[in-house]
């Protein structure tokens, strides 16, 4: 590595060192991308009983309503899959900026839509943005944060989703007092603002050091790690530990050959791909997004009448969703990923069985004029109505501090650099595939099998509990590179046997491994990486 190479890009950094030195700022700002997902959820739930929206789009119900809602997750699936090669081609930072631009285009089309086709196209384009951002933002956060706070930083992705839901819902609620199509066009237009802030603001943020090292930009990566975790000191122990581990991991991966899709099925990798994809699948099958998209249907079925009363009751749910995500910032790195997942799926199953039981035991079929179809409704039993609403609230609370944040954190941290972008894109694509399926199928389910819909989701949660108990090892407190030893330890169906001491190293152990690799003539080391390993602390 030449002297010119050691100084390139460092005299005039393409990011703010002050921003990079603040772990919560550098880790949280990109979460605005997650907020876009939240904005979309309540942008639809808030208009389902808006008379001006219903008139303009010819009163969509059942399959048509499901198709309109599902168009966004359909686009998100495409966006998430594309990250598999775009994140390695363009970098994490640049891709987040592009996602914000795409969202603005989709929002303009939605805001200006005059028919169902234009609305669906706008939602598909916005969905592509959400798919990209929901995939690349957790990867970016995981790659730039220290192991001790990585869980809470990536959890901010879920918190930003709850904020997006809450803010858009209250804007929708306020605009519901406006007569005319402005009651929904104004909220859809305002949702462009966060995306503009995201795209412009990310210009001042650093690129992922792991991406830079993988593209032979070692000195930039070292300085960014120093700014992120060492107050600008390249010789800081954590900086050196991460730098050595990243370089060593990349060197090992390059020995295995160039990156390819077949790597996803390699021994030791496919197990993690399966865990990442199924966790994102379970996060949808919990039924949480059913509560978010179709909450007005849920409360109407519980017997809560009146548009304003329904909107107010739903707003309480969105506030709870936001507030109870906060405890996860502490719990995810102290208590761990695995206990949170088990607690959450157990509680969600319990509360949904209660909701289904109350609905089935005390409800009856009635024709509901607003819905234009028969519905299963609680009539004249306020105690049961309130019981269902409270159980719905407790279900949301259970998701908010458990499955919600962990489902983004776990897939972002378990994969090696060689397949990380592709594997996380597959995991997130699984999320959007099931999101699409549920958004499309839930309205007909409420119209045909009524209260049994809740029983199905309660059973899904019980199945998720069993799967997580047997197959998901704990990952808290490790660097991303140390995940290799966790999964190398085996225990494919006995995840509880993976001890907290597995995969933990100090700087001296890493240095001895580096010296061993360089000191033996038995292994051929990539020339670029050999010099990076031999001279890891060149001072700017």
């Amino acid at each position: 590595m030449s002297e010119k190479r050691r100084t390139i890009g460092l005299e005039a950094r393409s990011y703010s060192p002050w921003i990079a030195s603040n772990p919560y700022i550098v880790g949280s700002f990109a979460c605005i991308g997650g907020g876009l997902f939240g904005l979309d959820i309540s942008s639809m739930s808030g208009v389902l009983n808006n008379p001006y929206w219903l008139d303009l789009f010819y009163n969509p119900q059942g399959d048509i309503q499901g198709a309109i809602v599902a168009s966004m997750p359909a686009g998100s699936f495409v966006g998430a899959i594309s990250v598999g090669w775009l994140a390695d081609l363009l970098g994490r930072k640049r891709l987040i900026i592009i996602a914000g631009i795409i969202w603005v285009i989709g929002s303009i089309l939605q805001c200006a839509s005059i028919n169902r086709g234009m609305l669906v196209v706008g939602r598909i384009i916005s969905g592509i943005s959400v798919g990209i951002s929901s995939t690349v933002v957790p990867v970016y956060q995981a790659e730039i944060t220290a192991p001790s706070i990585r869980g809470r930083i990536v959890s901010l992705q879920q918190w930003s989703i709850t904020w997006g839901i809450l803010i858009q819902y209250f804007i929708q609620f306020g605009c519901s007092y406006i007569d005319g199509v402005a009651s929904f066009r104004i909220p859809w237009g305002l949702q462009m603002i966060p995306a503009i802030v995201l795209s412009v603001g990310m210009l001042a943020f650093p690129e992922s050091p792991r991406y830079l090292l993988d593209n032979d930009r070692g000195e930039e990566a070292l300085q960014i790690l120093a700014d992120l975790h060492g107050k600008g000191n390249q010789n800081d122990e954590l900086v050196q530990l991460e730098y050595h581990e990243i370089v060593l991991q990349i060197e090992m991966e390059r020995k295995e050959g160039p990156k390819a899709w077949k790597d996803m099925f390699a021994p030791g990798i496919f197990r993690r791909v399966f865990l990442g994809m199924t966790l994102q699948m379970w996060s949808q099958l919990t039924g949480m997004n059913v509560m978010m998209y179709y909450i007005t249907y849920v409360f109407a079925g519980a017997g809560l009448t009146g548009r304003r009363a329904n909107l107010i009751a739903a707003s309480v749910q969105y506030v709870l969703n936001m507030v109870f995500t906060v405890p996860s910032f502490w719990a995810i790195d102290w208590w761990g990923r695995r206990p949170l997942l088990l607690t959450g799926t157990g509680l969600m199953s319990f509360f949904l069985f209660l909701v289904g039981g109350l609905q089935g035991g005390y409800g009856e079929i009635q024709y509901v004029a607003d819905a234009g179809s028969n519905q299963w409704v609680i009539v004249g039993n306020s105690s049961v109505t309130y019981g269902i609403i409270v159980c719905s609230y407790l279900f949301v609370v259970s998701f908010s501090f458990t499955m919600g944040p962990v489902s983004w954190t776990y897939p972002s941290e378990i994969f090696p650099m060689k397949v990380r972008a592709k594997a996380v894109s597959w995991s997130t694509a699984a999320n959007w595939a099931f999101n699409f399926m549920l958004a499309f199928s839930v309205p007909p389910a409420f119209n045909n099998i009524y209260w049994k819909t809740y029983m199905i989701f309660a059973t899904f949660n019980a199945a998720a509990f069993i799967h997580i108990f047997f197959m998901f090892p704990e990952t808290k407190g490790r660097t991303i590179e140390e995940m290799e030893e966790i999964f190398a330890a085996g225990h494919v169906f006995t995840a509880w046997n993976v001890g907290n001491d597995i995969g933990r190293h100090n700087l001296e152990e890493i240095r001895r491994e580096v010296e061993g690799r360089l000191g033996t003539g038995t292994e051929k080391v990539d020339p670029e990486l050999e010099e990076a390993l031999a001279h890891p602390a060149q001072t700017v």
Side-chain angles (χ1 to χ4, degrees):
M1 188 181 296
S2 66
E3 195 64 34
K4 179 180 178 181
R5 180 69 178 278
R6 292 190 186 113
T7 60
I8 187 168
L10 299 180
E11 293 178 359
R13 299 185 184 105
S14 60
Y15 63 92
S16 166
W18 179 84
I19 287 177
S21 67
N22 290 266
Y24 290 97
I25 293 177
V26 75
S28 64
F29 183 82
C31 288
I32 294 175
L36 302 181
F37 177 21
L39 290 172
D40 175 82
I41 289 175
S42 50
S43 74
M44 287 306 300
S45 64
V47 301
L48 292 180
N49 57 5
N50 183 319
Y52 303 104
W53 185 86
L54 292 170
D55 288 343
L56 180 62
F57 296 103
Y58 303 103
N59 195 33
Q61 299 293 336
D63 291 344
I64 300 298
Q65 179 59 59
I68 292 173
V69 173
S71 59
M72 192 280 293
S76 298
F77 176 83
V78 175
I81 285 291
S82 70
V83 172
W85 61 275
L86 286 177
D88 288 334
L89 178 67
L90 302 175
R92 284 58 162 147
K93 171 181 171 178
R94 192 179 303 171
L95 195 52
I96 294 172
I97 294 172
I98 292 171
I101 296 171
I102 295 173
W103 175 268
V104 171
I105 296 170
S107 296
I108 291 172
L109 287 172
Q110 290 182 72
C111 183
S113 59
I114 57 175
N115 53 49
R116 292 176 180 174
M118 189 173 177
L119 176 60
V120 167
V121 170
R123 286 182 56 75
I124 289 173
I125 293 174
S126 292
I128 291 172
S129 168
V130 171
I132 292 172
S133 60
S134 63
T135 305
V136 74
V137 167
V139 172
Y140 177 78
Q141 291 174 306
E143 291 184 345
I144 64 172
T145 52
S148 60
I149 64 169
R150 185 175 60 245
R152 72 191 68 163
I153 291 294
V154 181
S155 296
L156 291 172
Q157 166 85 345
Q158 176 63 23
W159 200 42
S160 70
I161 294 173
T162 68
W163 271 107
I165 294 171
L166 185 66
I167 291 171
Q168 177 73 313
Y169 195 83
F170 278 119
I171 292 173
Q172 292 269 8
F173 183 77
C175 290
S176 70
Y177 290 91
I178 299 174
D179 292 329
V181 295
S183 60
F184 62 86
R185 292 200 192 279
I186 290 174
W188 287 357
L190 290 176
Q191 66 185 1
M192 289 185 284
I193 296 174
I196 294 171
V197 172
L198 174 66
S199 292
V200 174
M202 279 301 297
L203 296 173
F205 282 71
E207 179 56 272
S208 160
R210 287 169 171 84
Y211 166 78
L212 293 173
L213 270 167
D214 197 36
N215 286 270
D216 299 323
R217 295 160 64 181
E219 284 301 320
E220 292 178 67
L222 178 59
Q223 186 57 53
I224 288 173
L225 283 170
D227 288 334
L228 287 170
H229 306 145
K231 298 180 180 179
N233 177 17
Q234 296 183 3
N235 294 301
D236 179 85
E237 183 170 352
L238 177 58
V239 172
Q240 288 291 304
L241 173 63
E242 286 202 277
Y243 187 87
H244 278 86
E245 285 190 323
I246 296 167
V247 172
L248 203 57
Q249 182 67 32
I250 293 172
E251 184 268 319
M252 292 172 61
E253 291 170 359
R254 287 186 179 177
K255 284 176 57 183
E256 297 170 358
K259 295 179 181 179
W261 287 102
K262 66 179 182 180
D263 296 329
M264 302 280 281
F265 302 96
I269 301 297
F270 181 72
R271 173 190 173 191
R272 285 178 265 182
V273 172
F274 174 74
L275 293 181
M277 292 182 69
T278 52
L279 184 60
Q280 287 281 23
M281 174 194 75
W282 290 128
S283 75
Q284 289 300 315
L285 294 180
T286 61
M288 178 60 171
N289 277 343
V290 173
M291 292 293 188
M292 295 293 104
Y293 281 126
Y294 299 114
I295 187 60
T296 55
Y297 288 4
V298 174
F299 285 165
L304 190 65
T305 58
R307 184 184 175 206
R308 296 282 183 261
N310 211 314
L311 288 170
I312 292 171
S315 70
V316 173
Q317 175 162 287
Y318 293 140
V319 171
L320 291 173
N321 187 27
M322 183 272 294
V323 170
F324 281 91
T325 302
V326 175
S328 70
F329 301 163
W330 165 79
I332 196 168
D333 285 320
W334 180 81
W335 197 17
R337 285 64 158 154
R338 180 178 162 86
L340 285 176
L341 289 172
L342 292 172
T343 301
T345 51
L347 288 174
M348 286 186 287
S349 180
F350 174 72
F351 290 126
L352 284 179
F353 275 127
L354 278 179
V355 170
L358 289 171
Q359 282 273 13
Y362 295 93
E364 60 186 59
I365 297 176
Q366 281 202 347
Y367 180 80
V368 179
D370 290 343
S373 63
N374 290 328
Q375 300 285 317
W376 189 273
V377 183
I378 304 295
V379 180
N381 196 329
S382 59
S383 60
V384 173
T385 296
Y386 294 142
I388 290 172
I389 292 173
V390 169
C391 286
S392 298
Y393 288 159
L394 292 173
F395 166 84
V396 169
V397 168
S398 301
F399 179 92
S400 298
F401 78 95
T402 60
M403 176 66 81
V406 179
S407 65
W408 296 109
T409 303
Y410 201 89
S412 71
E413 65 186 1
I414 62 175
F415 300 112
M417 180 71 199
K418 188 171 185 178
V419 300
R420 185 170 303 132
K422 294 183 179 68
V424 175
S425 78
W426 280 25
S427 299
T428 311
N431 178 302
W432 291 114
F434 280 88
N435 189 310
F436 169 82
M437 178 187 70
L438 294 177
F440 193 89
S441 62
V442 165
F446 278 138
N447 290 339
N448 292 285
I449 62 173
Y450 311 117
W451 57 271
K452 298 182 183 70
T453 304
Y454 299 106
M455 296 303 195
I456 291 173
F457 286 108
T459 304
F460 282 146
N461 278 288
F465 179 95
I466 295 170
H467 182 207
I468 291 163
F469 179 79
F470 283 101
M471 296 191 69
F472 282 73
E474 183 56 69
T475 58
K476 69 172 183 177
R478 277 82 161 191
T479 67
I480 293 178
E481 286 67 36
E482 288 169 351
M483 298 294 172
E484 295 303 307
E485 293 187 38
I486 291 178
F487 291 95
H491 303 295
V492 176
F493 299 106
T494 54
W496 60 85
N497 282 328
V498 178
N500 285 330
D501 58 326
I502 294 178
R504 297 184 185 273
H505 298 289
N506 56 41
L507 178 59
E508 204 52 47
E509 290 173 331
I510 298 296
R511 279 180 173 157
R512 283 199 296 269
E513 185 173 356
V514 170
E515 290 167 0
R517 285 178 176 272
L518 294 176
T520 63
T522 59
E523 295 191 31
K524 176 74 173 171
V525 182
D526 185 284
E528 291 281 357
L529 296 174
E530 181 174 4
E531 187 158 354
L533 286 165
H535 305 286
Q538 298 292 336
T539 303
V540 180

